[in-house]
Amino acid sequence: MLQTPATFEPVIRPQDHDHPLTFVFHRGELLLRNSVMGLPDAAHLRGLPLAPERIHPLGLWEGRYYQAAWLDEPLLPGADFGYHGMRGLFGVLDDGFLGVAGRAFQLVEWARTHRYCGVCATALQLLEGERCYKCPNCGHSAYPRISPAMMVLVRKGEQVLLAMHTNSPYQRYTALAGFLEAGESVEEAIHREVFEEVGLKVHNLKYFGSQSWPFPHSLMLAYTADYLDGEIRVQPSEIADARWFGPDDAWPELPVKVSIAARLIDAHRPR
Ligand SMILES: [Zn+2]
């Protein structure tokens, strides 16, 4: 599953390290050496316009120091380099490495989109020892944005409800999901989304687990719920199809293995 490895140690203050490895992003794409599908080192990056304020400390992992940076243009340090979308790296690179890359991306995306104060448009300053951009004029502060979203697998006897979301990048059947609205609890969001998307009432909500999902800064909170009442009635703008799948049904193609959706469905799959 896509997650930060347990041996990764986050670092907020820059460290003096001989051979740092750098996650360099241009928008959502990561710079890699194509021949080894690995990160560029300091020597590779010497020719790129990476101002020190664009380089953020990330952490220590397996004896190496990692940092994260971003470029306005997709500049390459050499012919052996290229930019790669993170989703295209699922199953190609190690899940733990991609977990660290997801963390790096969210950090630089926060830095890239918080250069100026949203209140008074003054240039923001990074506070020392904190992930916080602060406005020297009005005091407004901006922390990395994290957007909670709920995911719920609805169960009915031996069946589970799987849906194909209209705007899914994968076009596969998965659990229902949606972003929380301001002022909502996760439980309220689950009841609202299930009713809006498929017209069902549920109960017995049980927490399953969570996953940081860097597209671009979601925190997925996964639950199960039991069917209570209603007939499936999909909201066409959100859901292309929703069906009950039981032990005797042909099983559809499931979400990508790195997602918590795959783990949630696999743990409750009727057998
Ligand atoms: Zn301000």
Side-chain angles (χ1 to χ4, degrees):
M1 194 170 87
L2 186 69
Q3 61 184 23
T4 310
T7 50
F8 177 84
E9 186 189 329
V11 165
I12 289 184
R13 291 175 196 279
Q15 298 209 346
D16 215 6
H17 214 275
D18 284 345
H19 303 288
L21 289 171
T22 308
F23 290 93
V24 179
F25 286 91
H26 167 65
R27 302 295 175 94
E29 299 200 322
L30 175 63
L31 179 67
L32 291 173
R33 275 180 77 187
N34 295 330
S35 53
V36 292
M37 291 301 272
L39 295 177
D41 62 25
H44 296 128
L45 297 181
R46 217 157 273 149
L48 294 181
L50 283 169
E53 63 269 19
R54 287 201 177 188
I55 302 174
H56 293 257
L58 189 65
L60 300 163
W61 186 38
E62 295 178 341
R64 302 298 298 264
Y65 172 57
Y66 289 81
Q67 50 192 19
W70 52 282
L71 287 167
D72 293 318
E73 303 296 332
L75 302 174
L76 298 172
D80 185 27
F81 289 84
Y83 285 88
H84 300 259
M86 296 265 286
R87 290 180 198 271
L89 298 173
F90 290 165
V92 175
L93 296 180
D94 172 70
D95 283 359
F97 176 86
L98 290 175
V100 178
R103 193 179 264 254
F105 171 67
Q106 292 186 64
L107 189 61
V108 295
E109 192 58 9
W110 160 67
R112 185 178 78 87
T113 56
H114 290 86
R115 284 180 283 170
Y116 298 94
C117 178
V119 179
C120 73
T122 303
L124 296 181
Q125 293 173 351
L126 186 63
L127 292 187
E128 203 192 320
E130 253 191 277
R131 301 272 195 226
C132 176
Y133 279 107
K134 197 161 181 91
C135 177
N137 183 47
C138 77
H140 174 67
S141 46
Y143 296 88
R145 189 194 303 176
I146 299 168
S147 304
M150 70 80 200
M151 170 179 295
V152 61
L153 186 68
V154 181
R155 303 192 290 175
K156 183 184 186 186
E158 287 192 308
Q159 299 176 304
V160 297
L161 183 78
L162 298 177
M164 192 186 283
H165 291 253
T166 310
N167 298 319
S168 152
Y170 301 110
Q171 290 300 298
R172 292 179 183 187
Y173 283 84
T174 185
L176 297 176
F179 285 106
L180 270 70
E181 291 184 353
E184 256 183 345
S185 68
V186 187
E187 292 81 0
E188 287 167 338
I190 290 172
H191 288 295
R192 176 182 55 76
E193 285 276 0
V194 172
F195 190 71
E196 280 177 9
E197 294 192 342
V198 293
L200 301 181
K201 298 278 189 188
V202 295
H203 65 155
N204 295 340
L205 273 48
K206 283 200 186 73
Y207 177 69
F208 175 76
S210 69
Q211 180 181 45
S212 171
W213 192 242
F215 302 101
H217 38 62
S218 298
L219 174 64
M220 300 303 303
L221 301 155
Y223 284 72
T224 58
D226 290 334
Y227 167 85
L228 181 63
D229 191 32
E231 291 296 322
I232 294 174
R233 170 187 48 75
V234 301
Q235 184 182 38
S237 59
E238 297 272 333
I239 303 289
D241 185 33
R243 279 188 253 162
W244 296 109
F245 288 90
D248 300 328
D249 293 311
W251 204 250
E253 195 179 1
L254 290 178
V256 283
K257 286 244 176 292
V258 295
S259 70
I260 195 168
R263 184 173 284 197
L264 175 70
I265 294 166
D266 199 49
H268 301 92
R269 180 173 175 169
R271 291 173 207 275

